[in-house]
Amino acid sequence: MILSTDAASDEAMPPDVSVFFDKPTSTFSYLVKDPFSKACAIIDSVLNYEPESGSVSYEGADQLIASVTKQGLELVLLIETHVHADHLSAAPYIQAQLGGSICIGANITQVQDAFGDIFNEGEHFKRDGSQFDQLLRDGDTYKIGGLTGTAMHTPGHTPACMTHVIGDAVFVGDTLFMPDAGTARADFPGGDARALYQSTQRILQLPGHYRLFICHDYCPGGRALEYETTVAEELASNIHVNANMTEDAFVALREIRDKQLTVPSLILPALQVNMRAGHFPAPENNGRVYLKLPINVFQ
C-alpha cells in the first residue's frame, strides 16, 4: 500500500515524504526526497518473508524501487532506524538495483554481541558493524542533496535506535507511536525503559510543529491507520509520555506493560537477518541458506 503526505510550508527546506505500508507487519517505510534535487533516501524498507514456507518475495521493495525509478531519483541512503524484530529489511535488494549506502546507529555492535551469542554465531560473524556501509553516532549529519539529516541516538527499545531529523520531518523508528499507542517496548536484550523515557524527552524537545513519522501502527480501538503526528500532539496526549508523565511513572508503566506483550512472530528470522544489514547468513555446503531456531531464548 502506498500513502502520501505533503511537506509543511513553514520550514526552509522540508523534505518531500512518500509513505509505503506493509500490512502483514504493520510497518511503514518512507521515501524521503530533497524537493530541489533528485536525491532521496529510503527509511526502514521491508522484505516480504513467509515463515511457514521460508520463502521471500519483493513486492514492497519493488514498489519503492518503482517510485524512485519513475521519478528519476538518485538513491543516496538506505537508513535503518534500528535492528527490527518484526520484519526483515530489504535494503540489500534495493541497494543492488539503485545503489545508495546502508546505514544504522553505531551501537549496532551491542546488538550484534547480544544476538551473536543467542544465535551461537561463530567467528565468521563479525560484530563490528562492518556489514553496514555507514555507522552513525549521536549528532552525526549527512546530506540528501541539499537536505541535511541529523542522527539522534535514542536508545531504550534497542541500544542502537536512532531518530533521524531531516528538515521538519522526524523519523522515530519504534521509539514513539501515535499518541493513542504510546511508546515501544523495552524488554528485549539491551532494552531499557528508563533510557527509553529519556530518549522520548529528547525527541519531544524538538519544535512543536515538527512532523513525527512512526514505523508501525496497530490501529488501537479499531481506528483508521495513521502514520504522522507532531511533537506538540505527542506532548499533549501520548498515553505514555505526555507532558505530565514522570520518568519513574513511565518506567513502572512500561515494565508492567511489557510483561503482557507477546513476542513478535518474526523476531527470530528478523534479528538474524537485520543484524547482518538485511543479508541472510551464507549458504551452507549444500547451497541452502538456514536460519536458526533457538529454544526458550526469551524465557
Side-chain angles (χ1 to χ4, degrees):
M1 180 189 301
I2 306 175
L3 309 170
S4 65
T5 183
D6 296 327
S9 60
D10 55 351
E11 287 293 316
M13 291 186 66
D16 295 333
V17 180
S18 298
V19 189
F20 297 74
F21 183 61
D22 180 66
K23 186 175 181 180
T25 63
S26 298
T27 302
F28 297 108
S29 302
Y30 295 98
L31 175 60
V32 184
K33 178 187 174 296
D34 172 21
F36 302 111
S37 77
K38 293 294 186 179
C40 69
I42 289 174
I43 300 178
D44 291 336
S45 61
V46 177
L47 181 71
N48 301 104
Y49 174 74
E50 183 181 271
E52 292 81 4
S53 64
S55 62
V56 299
S57 57
Y58 306 98
E59 293 88 350
D62 285 339
Q63 287 188 347
L64 283 160
I65 291 169
S67 184
V68 171
T69 302
K70 182 178 181 180
Q71 298 178 70
L73 303 181
E74 176 190 359
L75 182 60
V76 177
L77 292 172
L78 289 146
I79 296 171
E80 300 291 342
T81 56
H82 62 294
V83 173
H84 303 275
D86 40 34
H87 70 270
L88 282 63
S89 170
Y93 174 79
I94 296 172
Q95 183 184 53
Q97 300 191 50
L98 298 178
S101 297
I102 303 174
C103 63
I104 200 168
N107 280 13
I108 177 62
T109 56
Q110 294 183 30
V111 178
Q112 290 175 328
D113 278 339
F115 289 101
D117 288 345
I118 286 173
F119 293 110
N120 196 31
E121 299 288 352
E123 294 181 357
H124 62 282
F125 175 62
K126 295 182 179 181
R127 305 184 187 195
D128 58 2
S130 59
Q131 299 87 346
F132 297 81
D133 300 311
Q134 295 184 42
L135 300 182
L136 298 172
R137 300 187 181 278
D138 187 50
D140 281 354
T141 62
Y142 50 85
K143 301 295 287 188
I144 305 171
L147 292 170
T148 298
T150 301
M152 179 188 297
H153 186 212
T154 49
H157 176 55
T158 82
C161 286
M162 303 291 283
T163 291
H164 292 264
V165 184
I166 307 172
D168 74 326
V170 184
F171 300 89
V172 298
D174 286 6
T175 299
L176 283 169
F177 295 147
M178 294 300 295
D180 60 351
T183 59
R185 65 194 301 163
D187 59 332
F188 293 150
D192 185 302
R194 197 166 297 277
L196 178 60
Y197 178 85
Q198 294 166 1
S199 292
T200 65
Q201 299 313 293
R202 291 193 69 191
I203 297 170
L204 297 177
Q205 289 173 10
L206 294 169
H209 67 282
Y210 271 31
R211 301 175 290 162
L212 304 185
F213 294 93
I214 64 170
C215 193
H216 302 285
D217 187 42
Y218 304 104
C219 304
R223 64 153 167 76
L225 189 71
E226 296 184 37
Y227 54 85
E228 179 182 348
T229 181
T230 66
V231 170
E233 290 167 350
E234 294 280 5
L235 278 170
S237 57
N238 186 288
I239 61 172
H240 293 167
V241 288
N242 59 70
N244 297 317
M245 180 68 72
T246 67
E247 181 172 325
D248 287 343
F250 171 81
V251 170
L253 179 154
R254 186 69 266 171
E255 290 179 349
I256 292 171
R257 172 66 175 147
D258 286 348
K259 292 177 181 178
Q260 302 170 359
L261 298 176
T262 59
V263 175
S265 61
L266 293 183
I267 188 169
L268 296 177
L271 291 173
Q272 291 176 78
V273 170
N274 294 339
M275 70 182 185
R276 293 177 163 87
H279 295 281
F280 282 81
E284 298 193 7
N285 56 13
N286 63 357
R288 289 187 177 275
V289 172
Y290 291 87
L291 296 171
K292 296 180 179 180
L293 184 65
I295 304 302
N296 296 334
V297 64
F298 294 114
Q299 290 188 353

